[in-house]
Amino acid sequence: MPDKATTLRPSEIIRDYSIYPRQNVNDYNIGAYAESMRAEVEFPPPIVERKTKRLGDGFHRAAAWSRVHGDDPMQVVLRDYPDDQALVTDAVRLNSGHGQRLT
């Protein structure tokens, strides 16, 4: 099934840190993103695995959204993965070109 843009509440999204490609989520980055969101800067939507609702890309963006908008629905892209390894591989690929260094 192709990627599908939709909305989900942050409370519906699972943050599985076992697949997160960095050592931790950086509160400074979350704050900077939140300030940008308050200034109405648009960010790409986070990538969420369709079946499990696990967050693959966008941990900082999702946290910033929650900080600014609480549990209001946010734009996400739902994506299918055949297995956990494919999800992890895509998370690393998506995160390798921006943000904090990967760990």
Side-chain angles (χ1 to χ4, degrees):
M1 186 178 290
D3 293 351
K4 179 184 177 201
T6 190
T7 59
L8 290 174
R9 292 185 179 280
S11 61
E12 297 176 275
I13 300 169
I14 307 300
R15 289 162 181 84
D16 181 353
Y17 293 96
S18 72
I19 63 165
Y20 185 59
R22 295 190 170 92
Q23 188 170 1
N24 58 30
V25 177
N26 184 301
D27 195 57
Y28 177 81
N29 285 357
I30 294 168
Y33 288 7
E35 286 303 312
S36 294
M37 287 178 182
R38 287 184 188 101
E40 299 184 16
V41 172
E42 289 192 36
F43 287 83
I47 305 295
V48 175
E49 183 183 28
R50 184 185 324 271
K51 183 173 53 177
T52 64
K53 302 296 185 274
R54 287 187 296 174
L55 189 58
D57 175 52
F59 278 71
H60 291 95
R61 284 172 276 150
W65 178 271
S66 293
R67 191 174 286 185
V68 174
H69 301 285
D71 202 36
D72 290 348
M74 64 186 290
Q75 280 285 113
V76 300
V77 171
L78 297 178
R79 188 170 283 178
D80 295 304
Y81 296 98
D83 53 37
D84 283 355
Q85 184 58 49
L87 173 59
V88 171
T89 299
D90 200 36
V92 170
R93 182 185 63 79
L94 290 165
N95 281 275
S96 64
H98 67 274
Q100 289 177 258
R101 290 180 51 116
L102 297 180
T103 53

